[in-house]
Amino acid sequence: GAFAGSPYGGPRTAGGDPVGALFERARREAAVIEAERAAAQLDEDLADDDDPIAAAPTGASLTRAELAHAAELTESEVTELESFGLLAPVVATRDHVLFDEEALVVARAAGVLMRHGIEPRHLRMYRQHADREAALFEQVVMGLRRQRNPEAQEQVDATLRELAGQGRKLRNALLRRAVRDAVSGPVPPR
């Protein structure tokens, strides 16, 4: 084309605007960097027992390809995680699908487990457990949620934080015990 061999020889937008394509590429690269920063912050927030449910959304959005790249997965692995309900786009239209920073945290964690040979279908249990736990917590705060005043909403938030924090402590303690028992038990015969 007219721009072959020039710095504008890269992808073009639908209108054939090479400068627009460069701006779009830079914008998407910035979105990936922002999502990675937000995911790192989420990882840090999740490690902190003080507030297990307050992950402030940053508005970062990633395409499926960007999510796969940032999580060191293939696009087909991302699609497979979606099929088992572990990843859900925040925007899904006919033209594009976008994921947020929480999807990046999930994809990265799932990727590590997958590299140890755990298939996405087996990771579904994490989603199922989270859904069941959230439903249980919803039952606990149902009465407060019906009240439409700021004090009740503050109580809902405080109760959910406490329930999520204690639930995480309980899960972690039970998992430590189960892993310790599994590792220290008798070695199965070959």
Side-chain angles (χ1 to χ4, degrees), residues 22-45:
L22 289 174
F23 280 118
E24 178 61 18
R25 185 178 337 151
R27 186 191 69 72
R28 295 307 309 168
E29 287 173 2
V32 169
I33 291 167
E34 174 60 20
E36 288 176 343
R37 186 205 59 75
Q41 182 61 48
L42 267 178
D43 281 337
E44 202 173 291
D45 290 347

Side-chain angles (χ1 to χ4, degrees), residues 76-93:
S76 66
E77 289 171 325
V78 169
T79 301
E80 192 174 7
L81 290 170
E82 279 182 87
S83 74
F84 288 109
L86 292 159
L87 293 175
V90 292
V91 173
T93 67

Side-chain angles (χ1 to χ4, degrees), residues 21-142:
L22 289 174
F23 280 118
E24 178 61 18
R25 185 178 337 151
R27 186 191 69 72
R28 295 307 309 168
E29 287 173 2
V32 169
I33 291 167
E34 174 60 20
E36 288 176 343
R37 186 205 59 75
Q41 182 61 48
L42 267 178
D43 281 337
E44 202 173 291
D45 290 347
L46 292 172
D48 182 12
D49 281 341
D50 292 342
D51 198 354
I53 64 168
T58 65
S61 59
L62 299 168
T63 65
R64 185 175 284 111
E66 291 164 342
L67 176 63
H69 175 75
E72 299 178 7
L73 296 170
T74 66
E75 284 188 56
S76 66
E77 289 171 325
V78 169
T79 301
E80 192 174 7
L81 290 170
E82 279 182 87
S83 74
F84 288 109
L86 292 159
L87 293 175
V90 292
V91 173
T93 67
R94 214 168 36 124
D95 298 331
H96 65 282
V97 174
L98 296 175
F99 297 89
D100 64 6
E101 60 273 3
E102 285 189 355
L104 181 54
V105 171
V106 170
R108 283 181 172 166
V112 170
L113 294 169
M114 291 164 64
R115 284 188 283 283
H116 284 282
I118 300 173
E119 296 177 27
R121 64 189 172 99
H122 297 298
L123 301 177
R124 186 175 37 191
M125 71 176 179
Y126 292 102
R127 169 66 194 264
Q128 292 167 338
H129 175 77
D131 289 345
R132 292 170 82 182
E133 192 170 16
L136 177 64
F137 296 168
E138 183 181 18
Q139 290 176 4
V140 171
V141 298
M142 184 72 69

Side-chain angles (χ1 to χ4, degrees), residues 167-181:
R168 182 172 44 195
K169 287 178 183 178
L170 179 60
R171 274 190 315 282
N172 288 345
L174 291 171
L175 180 60
R176 277 191 303 272
R177 183 176 70 195
V179 169
R180 186 176 54 243
D181 291 350

